[in-house]
Amino acid sequence: MVERTSARKRARAIMSMLIRAPRAEDLEAIIALDTHITGEAKPEFWRHKLGLGGALPTGSRPLVRVAEVSGRIIGVLVGEVRSWEFHLPPTGWITVLMVDPAYRRQGIGRRLLAEALEYFREHGLRSVRTMVGWSDGDVLSFFTAMGFDRGPFIELEKSL
Ligand SMILES: CC(C)(COP(=O)(O)OP(=O)(O)OC[C@H]1O[C@@H](n2cnc3c(N)ncnc32)[C@H](O)[C@@H]1OP(=O)(O)O)[C@@H](O)C(=O)NCCC(=O)NCCS
């Protein structure tokens, strides 16, 4: 019963969800969400991505979008345009995408991704890439469902 009530509350919350650019005052909430999901707090990383305290030229700022429900940040996306790395023409990259576990499978990841795809299209890009761990089944399933397929590159790694 309690479970059904909270599911109903969440469904209502999703209807009132807002996708928007982050504000400086969202920093702590974003760090907290990331820490909750990945188990690691990365304040400097997020300060940098949000363009706080550092002088990032406008053109090199990443696209950051947050999903908000009732004043609470429940999802974050970071998208970046990278040009001529690995000989690739300007390409969109999804470098962070995460949704609060309590709000998954309700279309929030899809809506955050749609914002990035629209932004990349508006900037004339022809493709978008991301990297997913082979063992990260949920994330792989999400991107596969969103039309992503295996790309033409292989990632090489060496232990140091
Ligand atoms: C990947 C992730 C962002 C998906 O967010 P989400 O809001 O749950 O995704 P959506 O509800 O928009 O899913 C859209 C579709 O993707 C597929 N999908 C999403 N999650 C899935 C899962 N766990 N298993 C299978 N398919 C899945 C489904 O087809 C789904 O549509 P459906 O629910 O109608 O069947 C979320 O699972 C997440 O945050 N995972 C952790 C990511 C992480 O660790 N990030 C840190 C490093 S970047």
Side-chain angles (χ1 to χ4, degrees):
M1 186 64 182
V2 173
E3 184 56 35
R4 273 176 64 185
T5 310
S6 65
R8 243 183 262 130
K9 267 191 191 158
R10 278 206 301 274
R12 271 204 303 273
I14 299 310
M15 286 165 69
S16 62
M17 180 184 56
L18 178 70
I19 305 273
R20 61 168 175 82
R23 299 188 278 263
E25 57 268 31
D26 297 324
L27 178 67
E28 292 307 319
I30 293 172
I31 294 169
L33 177 65
D34 182 21
T35 308
H36 178 54
I37 292 173
T38 68
E40 198 178 341
K42 312 171 194 89
E44 277 320 303
F45 170 82
W46 284 110
R47 287 182 68 79
H48 180 71
K49 291 298 173 197
L50 268 53
L52 301 171
L56 271 185
T58 315
S60 61
R61 278 193 202 140
L63 169 81
V64 185
R65 289 289 178 268
V66 296
E68 179 193 313
V69 168
S70 308
R72 185 167 160 217
I73 306 286
I74 56 160
V76 186
L77 170 138
V78 179
E80 303 181 41
V81 179
R82 296 185 179 163
S83 303
W84 309 118
E85 292 174 1
F86 317 111
H87 306 294
L88 282 171
T91 302
W93 282 83
I94 305 298
T95 53
V96 177
L97 176 59
M98 55 192 171
V99 172
D100 185 326
Y103 289 86
R104 287 185 189 165
R105 298 306 291 266
Q106 297 177 67
I108 296 169
R110 183 192 297 266
R111 282 192 50 193
L112 282 165
L113 179 67
E115 291 270 323
L117 300 186
E118 192 182 322
Y119 173 89
F120 292 145
R121 282 193 196 101
E122 280 171 358
H123 284 72
L125 306 187
R126 305 288 298 275
S127 69
V128 54
R129 290 164 194 264
T130 193
M131 280 214 276
V132 179
W134 281 112
S135 58
D136 222 341
D138 288 1
V139 185
L140 200 52
S141 296
F142 169 80
F143 279 108
T144 305
M146 297 298 103
F148 284 65
D149 204 351
R150 222 175 131 154
F153 291 84
I154 57 166
E155 180 202 345
L156 301 177
E157 190 185 64
K158 175 177 160 64
S159 299
L160 297 174

